Each structure stands twice: as structure tokens, then as C-alpha cells.
Amino acid sequence: MNETAKEKWGYKMDVGIVGGGAIGLLFASYLKRAGHMVTIYTKRAEQAMKLTGEGLVFHRGGSVEKYHVEAFPIEQIREHELLIIAVKQYQLEDLSPYLKSVKKPESTLLYLQNGMGHVKGFKENGWHAIVAGVVEHGAKRMSDHEIVQTGFGKTKISLVTGQSDLHRWTATLHNKGFPIEIKDNWHEMLSRKLVVNCAINPLTAIFKVPNGELLYNDHFQNLMKKIVKEATFLLHLDEREMWDEVVAVCKYTEQNRSSMLTDIENNRKTEIEAINGFLVEKGNENNIPVPYNDFVYKSVSGMEQVGKA
Amino acid sequence: MNETAKEKWGYKMDVGIVGGGAIGLLFASYLKRAGHMVTIYTKRAEQAMKLTGEGLVFHRGGSVEKYHVEAFPIEQIREHELLIIAVKQYQLEDLSPYLKSVKKPESTLLYLQNGMGHVKGFKENGWHAIVAGVVEHGAKRMSDHEIVQTGFGKTKISLVTGQSDLHRWTATLHNKGFPIEIKDNWHEMLSRKLVVNCAINPLTAIFKVPNGELLYNDHFQNLMKKIVKEATFLLHLDEREMWDEVVAVCKYTEQNRSSMLTDIENNRKTEIEAINGFLVEKGNENNIPVPYNDFVYKSVSGMEQVGKA
């Protein structure tokens, strides 16, 4: 057994990761790298077998690393000190019974979803703490047990309810290429990420363009601006500041094809409901029209339907 | 020389057709079929040579007909009893000097553009009459001198200014498969066509779907409804009645790929400016927000830009 973490920090975490997608496997890789105990829970039993049998293969920069991990189908979930929820928001509902079965006053939940629809779930109590996180890394799953990190960003985390020593976490999880930043205001943190996602993701999916094109094409930039304007108004954020952030992300990721675009290209369900769907619902509740968000929400929803037909 | 028209109606028209695209060649075919004199004016001299040299080949249903036509480059335009303007709206400006040179108090102009941006040009006087028309046929140009009729509809015409005996025209132009209907109110006629086009054309171009998909996909149908709602409000048309018409056109043409979609697919300029651009401008002038029209206007404009890059 790898004792690095304990040797280094006198502290080795027992972490469960729910979700065998790109983000789940990325976190598993970095946690293994830091010497923690990692158990991955997957929807498909075959993936769990593959991960346990062949190890987790992590492509990063030019190098390849391989980690031994424990993986089980979600039905076999057990309690952990920290449980990282790395499934898409629309999969949270199916997960709910399993989470209930392992709810313990000693366990902390870390939610890594896009959007804000899952915020409702934060009200659940009985956990030691609930922490929200937003991931700015890019990662792509190559097969059931292989991922490649495609972009280097950071993870922001923020305490939602309960008590959790985020600074200790940060010290132990943090390592080269995997910075973690602690934020005071989880709602603002999620709102800001939502604004970035609500503009870039659906427009790239509709127009089938890499992120940068939204900036360099006057017409697309104008649409992006309208979407950001609506979202910042609705979420009480500073429009100008958020626009600068959206522009910065577009520039930084200009070659990237967004996850929503690749989801559409592969006829997969997207996160449109959690992102623009959330804003449309919030607009309706508050009687604030958000037609540009409504347009992309209906567009991507319609495109998902075409893909399935 | 073919005397059919004169024998039949004691009347043979001297018609000039400006534009060698699908609609120009379709009208040329039906006018020749009815025995009128037809001269086609094209932008490219090569097309004029091809038409004069090889004749106009018209595929219709299972049959092929070939007509001898006179064709010249637009620089050689001369006066005609009736001049049919069958270019795209965005080409009208370049045409203006040529039209001025053949303006005669005996000549009638028939405009066959989509949209309403060309309505400004109707104010020009010095012509015997200005007539507006909307074409509901489908036609596709196969080569410089060959077209195929892909859909059978009708042509609606309406007197805008001056005096013109539309009923005599209708009698002489009208023939099997080419019905002409006279409308009293040209503005309403163009507005109604605009409403149909503003919803179907851009959405099919954005989502790359045949017309019918807009109806059978809930989300797309909802977007179409919002666009129609804005347009009918702006143009003082009955929303319910127009919606029924849009639905009918979608059903009738469900297999068709709209001209805007094929323009985008072939990296050609579209008529977005004349259609949704007109509505956005009108909305701005009247301080009436038309976000759904604005969205498709900017989307298709942006897509044109991507195509050119």
C-alpha cells in the first residue's frame, strides 16, 4: 500500500468517487498520485472490472501513469471519509438512494456538477459537510479505464453546509498540475461558473465551432453577450466583470470543443437542463424574460431530440 | 418565331428577366411555354452565352423541355414591356444603375424578392407600374442553362404603384402548373410571406434539418412559434391565422431543405438580411423587442461568416 500521503502530511484520506467519467477518473488519478485511498463507483459493472483489473491509465502532457484502484458498481457503495460526486447533474436523481444508504455524520460530500440545479440537494442534512466544487480542467475519457487531461486549470471548492476543514484538504489534495482554491461564497462560485457555461457551451454546440470562434465572430460574440447579460442580471452578478471572465475563458480555451458540442456530436444527452434550463426556470419564477437563454435551451434540447430520432 | 401567345390571346409580351438563378429561369421557361418573347439578363457573360447557345433546359415532373432564349449580360439590358426582377434582394443595389438606364413610362417592373427590404425601392417612380410578387414554387438550378422544378405552388402578384392590367397578365402568363393569383394588398401579401420565411428558413439553416422537422420536434416548434409571434405583432397580422399558415407550409414542404439551409451548406450568402434582418430593424425603429428574430438573424449572419473563413 502506498503510504505517501500519510508520510507527507500524516494524513491519508479514504475517498470514494462516484462516477467513472472524465472528471471522476481525473480526480481519482490525482488523488492516487497524492497517495490517498481511492475507491471508484461506476454505473456499469464492466467499467469497475476494467478499472480494477487493468488499472487507471492517466495521460498527462507527454507522460503516461498507471494507478491501481479499487472500483465497484454503484450498488456496492460503502461509507467513506470523503465522497466525491462526479456524475452529471441529470444523473443525481438516480444516485440519491445509494447516497442515502451511506449517509454518515463523519462523511463529507463534494459535489462537482455544472449548473446550479443540484443546489436543491444541498439542503439535505445528516452529512458532516457538503462542499461544492467547480472543475476548470479539461479531461477526456479514452476508454473505460483511460483518460487524458486536455486542459490545465484549477478546482475551486467552497463549503456549503456543515463543517469541513477545507484547508487541510487543499494541502493534501493539492499537487503539481492540480491546484485547489478555496472560495468563501459557494453560491457566487457556482453562479460565476454557470454564467461562463451558459454562454459558451450551448452556442458552440449549436454552431459546431470551437470556443474561440464565439469571440472572433462578431455575430456569435454578440449573442454570447446577450446571454451573459441576461444571466448576470438574473444572478445578481456584475455584467462587465463576468463578460471579461467569459472572454478570458474563450481565449484560454479557443481551440477546445466544449463538452456540450461533443455530447451533441456523439448523440449524447447534454447538460443544457442544468445550465440554461436552470436560468430559464429561474427567469420564469421571477417573471424576468430571458429569451436568449430560452433560445439556446430550446435549440440544444431540440438537437438532442434530433440526435435520438 | 413562336406565335402561340398572340394566336391564343392576341397578345404577346416582350418580357425581360433579370437574373439567371432558379426563379429567373423558372419564369423564363413558363413564359416561353406560353409563347411570349423572353430575354434573360445575367451577371456572368458565360451564363448568357450558354443559355443562348444551348437553350434553356427545363426539367418538370418526368419531362424535359428545351426552349430557345435570348440572353445577354446585364450590361446590355434594354427596355421591355415587362421587366421581371429575379435576383436576390441583396443584389438589387448593384442592379439599380442598369434599371435606371431602361426606365420607361411604358414598362412595368415585377419584383420577385423574398423579405421586405426591397419595399423601399417601390417608391421610385417613372415606371408605368411596379408590381410585387411572391413565388411559392420550388426550383433548383442544375447548371447555367438547366433547371428543375422541385415543388409546385403558385405565384401571387399585387400592384404596388402605377397602373397595370394584372388580369390580362394573369390570363396570358397563367398556364398548366403555373397558376397566378392576384392580391389586392401587396403589403399584406409580402408580410405574410415574410412571416412564413422568417420562421422556417433560419431555423432549418441553423439546425440543418428539413422543413418538417421544425414541426415534429417540440423544441423547434416552440422556437418557430416565438418567432412567428414577434413577427405578426410587428407586422400587424393575426398570429393564429399566420401560425396555421406556417404549419401548413411546413407540412406541405416537410421533405424540403430550405434555400437558406442549402445556401449555408454551400457557403453562399443567404437572404437573412432581407428576412429577419428586416424584422430586427423594424423592431428597433419601433422600440419593440424581437429577441427570437434577433437570435436567428445573428446566428445565420455568423454562420455565413464561418463559411467564408
Side-chain angles (χ1 to χ4, degrees), chain B residues 67-91:
Chain B
Y67 301 107
H68 168 72
V69 288
E70 301 279 330
F72 301 97
I74 182 69
E75 290 79 7
Q76 296 177 37
I77 192 169
R78 62 167 178 83
E79 290 133 28
H80 293 273
E81 191 183 347
L82 168 64
L83 202 57
I84 300 179
I85 312 298
V87 300
K88 304 276 187 189
Q89 194 200 286
Y90 54 79
Q91 298 168 321

Side-chain angles (χ1 to χ4, degrees), chain A residues 203 206-209 213 216-220 222-223 226-227 230 290-303 305-306 309, chain B residues 203 206-209 213 216-220 222-223 226-227 230 290-303 305-306 309:
Chain A
L203 291 178
I206 293 168
F207 300 124
K208 316 264 191 294
V209 294
E213 181 74 22
Y216 305 127
N217 186 307
D218 295 349
H219 305 285
F220 295 164
N222 196 303
L223 288 175
K226 297 265 172 72
I227 293 173
E230 288 177 356
V290 289
Y292 291 86
N293 277 280
D294 185 49
F295 198 106
V296 296
Y297 172 50
K298 297 209 164 81
S299 295
V300 177
S301 304
M303 289 161 77
Q305 207 168 298
V306 173
Chain B
L203 290 178
I206 294 168
F207 300 123
K208 315 266 191 291
V209 293
E213 181 73 21
Y216 305 126
N217 185 307
D218 294 349
H219 305 284
F220 295 163
N222 196 304
L223 288 176
K226 295 264 172 74
I227 293 173
E230 288 177 354
V290 288
Y292 291 86
N293 277 280
D294 186 49
F295 198 108
V296 295
Y297 172 49
K298 298 211 164 77
S299 295
V300 177
S301 303
M303 288 161 79
Q305 207 169 297
V306 173

Side-chain angles (χ1 to χ4, degrees), chain A residues 15-33:
Chain A
V15 187
I17 296 180
V18 180
I23 295 300
L25 298 186
L26 183 75
F27 270 70
S29 301
Y30 276 109
L31 284 165
K32 285 301 290 188
R33 185 171 242 258

Side-chain angles (χ1 to χ4, degrees), chain B residues 1 15 54 58 73 110 163 195 211 228 244 248 259 264 299:
Chain B
M1 270 171 67
V15 186
E54 310 210 4
F58 179 37
L110 168 60
Q163 293 184 310
V195 172
N211 297 359
V228 168
D244 290 344
S259 62
I264 283 292
S299 295

